[in-house]
């Protein structure tokens, strides 16, 4: 654990993961938003039906970013995930009605797929030693702290409203994309002799 956490790039990756999760821990609220007057007062059945676009987007981007990650490295996937998160949040903030709901769910699927394979591979590839099981374990222990984010988001929504959470989530998603882009290295490019 100590050797893993001593690695700067691994710590930076974990912090980026925390920022990304904090930036989009509000998925259930998206459905609530689109059934509200601010979101276009869509019938619940229509919101559920449009939610299928998450699966379509995820199916496409799982394959696409798996292919890209295998060839270019998985830092691309986690960076695109955070950027697409920001796009999804901007859509929810500014595009009401069925078009906005459909677009938001499609982009949610796209960023979910982009990050799905990339995040697992980033954990594996950031291992700076030969004890990968310990590395995976410490990553999971640290990342388990993310479970409080949806609870905090719910409290903020109850107190200040959904728009405040959306704007905060958008800021966190943009910060996560910049964090990955400028501070996290592609682990395959390590030159320090790590495993």
């Amino acid at each position: 654990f100590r050797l893993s956490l001593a690695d700067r790039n691994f710590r930076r990756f974990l912090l980026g993961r925390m920022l990304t999760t904090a930036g989009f821990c509000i998925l259930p609220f998206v459905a609530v938003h689109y059934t509200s007057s601010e979101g276009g007062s869509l019938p619940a059945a229509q919101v559920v039906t449009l939610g299928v676009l998450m699966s379509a987007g995820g199916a496409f981007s799982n394959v696409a970013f798996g292919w890209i990650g295998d060839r270019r490295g998985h830092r691309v996937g986690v960076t695109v995930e955070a950027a697409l998160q920001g796009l999804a949040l901007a859509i929810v903030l500014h595009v009401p009605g069925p078009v906005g709901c459909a677009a938001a769910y499609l982009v949610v699927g796209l960023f979910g797929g982009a990050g799905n394979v990339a995040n697992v591979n980033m954990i594996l590839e950031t291992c700076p030693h030969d004890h990968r099981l310990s590395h995976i374990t410490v990553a999971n222990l640290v990342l388990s702290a993310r479970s409080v984010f949806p609870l905090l988001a719910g409290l903020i929504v109850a107190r200040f409203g959904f728009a405040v959470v959306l704007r905060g989530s958008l800021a966190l998603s943009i910060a996560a994309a910049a964090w990955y882009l400028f501070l996290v290295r592609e682990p395959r490019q390590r030159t320090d002799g790590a495993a």
Side-chain angles (χ1 to χ4, degrees):
F1 287 7
R2 180 181 59 79
L3 289 172
S4 290
L5 293 173
D7 185 82
R8 182 187 313 182
N9 198 49
F10 179 57
R11 290 193 314 267
R12 287 180 174 177
F13 165 70
L14 291 177
L15 186 54
R17 201 67 218 116
M18 299 289 266
L19 282 170
T20 305
T21 303
F24 207 91
C25 60
I26 48 88
L27 182 58
F29 293 110
V30 172
V32 173
H33 170 72
Y34 280 106
T35 59
S36 72
S37 58
E38 294 86 11
S41 301
L42 301 181
Q46 185 176 18
V47 173
V48 171
T49 301
L50 292 172
V52 76
L53 290 170
M54 282 191 298
S55 297
F60 170 78
S61 67
N62 257 318
V63 174
F65 283 94
W67 186 87
I68 291 167
D70 287 345
R71 284 150 185 80
R72 305 244 179 204
H74 293 285
R75 181 178 157 266
V76 172
V78 295
T79 306
V80 170
E81 173 192 22
L84 286 175
Q85 240 179 235
L87 176 60
L89 289 159
I91 290 168
V92 174
L93 267 167
H94 300 293
V95 187
V99 170
C101 185
Y105 278 136
L106 178 63
V107 176
V108 167
L110 289 172
F111 80 68
N116 191 27
V117 174
N119 283 297
V120 172
N121 279 289
M122 284 290 288
I123 290 173
L124 298 174
E125 293 175 357
T126 55
C127 186
H129 49 71
D130 291 327
H131 304 284
R132 191 170 274 174
L133 182 58
S134 297
H135 186 75
I136 294 166
T137 302
V138 75
N140 288 331
L141 287 170
V142 170
L143 294 175
S144 67
R146 301 177 302 168
S147 61
V148 301
F149 295 152
L151 300 172
L152 293 174
L155 293 172
I156 295 169
V157 167
R159 182 149 191 174
F160 301 106
F162 186 53
V164 170
V165 171
L166 277 176
R167 289 185 184 95
S169 295
L170 179 58
L172 287 167
S173 296
I174 292 168
W179 183 267
Y180 283 131
L181 189 61
F182 296 113
L183 294 173
V184 176
R185 290 179 309 160
E186 171 54 48
R188 294 182 196 177
Q189 296 171 353
R190 295 179 70 107
T191 57
D192 58 3

